[in-house]
Amino acid sequence: VACEECGSGMLRAQLSDHAMACPQRRQQCGACGTSLLASQLPQHLRTACPMQRLRCKACSAEVPRREASSHVWLHCPAN
């Protein structure tokens, strides 16, 4: 049988294990809820997720990426 997501051929007995590890499966980001390919999730968390928590280099506070700029300019007690 073939995986519906990536097209890889395998034995039917292997399909359920493959489905959990297939790089073409859709996965939801645990931080922001965006649905994307599982293979893209690490990059999304490193560079794009607006809810991924980042540590302020000045005060060490953890803030969501979408609030990092305003934290640095308006709210950081170290600035």
Side-chain angles (χ1 to χ4, degrees), residues 17-75:
D17 286 340
H18 172 78
M20 302 208 31
C22 178
Q24 297 299 311
R25 75 188 183 285
R26 301 296 294 180
Q27 191 168 6
Q28 191 171 28
C29 174
C32 72
T34 298
S35 177
L36 59 159
L37 294 177
S39 61
Q40 296 173 335
L41 186 58
Q43 177 75 15
H44 168 75
L45 289 170
R46 275 193 311 275
T47 64
C49 179
M51 297 306 292
Q52 180 66 18
R53 300 199 61 85
L54 304 176
R55 185 172 303 280
C56 174
K57 292 179 182 177
C59 73
S60 297
E62 286 192 9
V63 295
R65 177 178 276 116
R66 71 178 184 186
E67 297 173 10
S69 183
S70 66
H71 168 79
V72 170
W73 293 105
L74 303 174
H75 306 291

